[in-house]
Amino acid sequence: MGLDLALLRKSFDAVKPIAGEFADHFYSTLWSKYPASKGLFREEGMSAQKKALVKSLAFIIDHVDNPEALGPYLVSMGERHVRYGAQTEHFSWVGDALITTLKYFFSDNWTPELETTWTAAFEAIQSLMQEGMHKAHSNPKANGRAPADNTDALARAIAKVARQ
């Protein structure tokens, strides 16, 4: 079983009404499980950061089947995260905190299908963001735009995890 787009969207629809609580819990989980991650964030910018997290997740879910929009968005996001000090190993921290937060809010309604779907989605997101990070390391003066040949990268990443 791979990425179930309908289940992904339906489950995120349940998160939207509690977006603020979701973001609070996500960062609390990230920092408690991975204390070194706290240094990547400035305390005075956390309100905006929490809104950005939810906004980014909403964009990703809304465009998950539109690689022309989502591929460049995620590659660019990966490039930007290099400037924030993000490292490749941080993805496992973020993925764990995301799944843990989703499990917390879904509680008894959390299913193996939800876990598989969200894990597959995060793997696809991570793959494209890491492309952007690699691009930023290879070309520190890049303007944050993905080259045209990356626009179908999300479709490839989704197809890969869907086959698993």
Side-chain angles (χ1 to χ4, degrees):
M1 175 183 274
L3 187 58
D4 181 338
L5 298 183
L7 182 59
L8 187 68
R9 285 188 169 118
K10 182 180 177 186
S11 62
F12 190 69
D13 283 345
V15 171
K16 288 177 184 177
I18 56 165
E21 293 171 70
F22 179 86
D24 288 343
H25 194 275
F26 170 82
Y27 285 104
S28 175
T29 299
L30 180 65
W31 296 334
S32 67
K33 288 181 124 182
Y34 306 98
S37 67
K38 183 103 170 143
L40 296 170
F41 302 93
R42 292 190 335 228
E43 189 68 38
E44 66 274 4
M46 283 313 299
S47 178
Q49 177 63 38
K50 290 173 183 180
K51 289 176 185 171
L53 169 72
V54 174
K55 183 178 177 184
S56 291
L57 284 172
F59 184 90
I60 291 165
I61 301 304
D62 288 346
H63 294 86
V64 73
D65 55 357
N66 181 358
E68 291 80 19
L70 191 53
Y73 176 83
L74 289 171
V75 170
S76 177
M77 186 185 300
E79 288 178 306
R80 284 192 316 274
H81 277 70
V82 168
R83 293 192 307 259
Y84 309 145
Q87 302 290 322
T88 303
E89 59 270 14
H90 297 153
F91 283 99
S92 63
W93 301 356
V94 170
D96 181 40
L98 177 65
I99 298 301
T100 300
T101 300
L102 288 163
K103 283 181 185 178
Y104 173 82
F105 282 103
F106 278 90
S107 187
D108 292 341
N109 295 318
W110 185 253
T111 65
E113 293 80 18
L114 274 171
E115 184 152 0
T116 299
T117 293
W118 275 97
T119 299
F122 186 76
E123 288 173 5
I125 292 164
Q126 170 182 289
S127 173
L128 284 161
M129 286 187 68
Q130 286 177 344
E131 266 188 53
M133 291 176 79
H134 176 70
K135 181 180 170 189
H137 286 299
S138 299
N139 182 9
K141 294 183 181 183
N143 66 5
R145 295 189 184 272
D149 58 274
N150 280 341
T151 59
D152 68 338
L154 182 65
R156 290 191 313 271
I158 288 172
K160 178 182 173 186
V161 296
R163 287 191 301 268
Q164 296 176 347

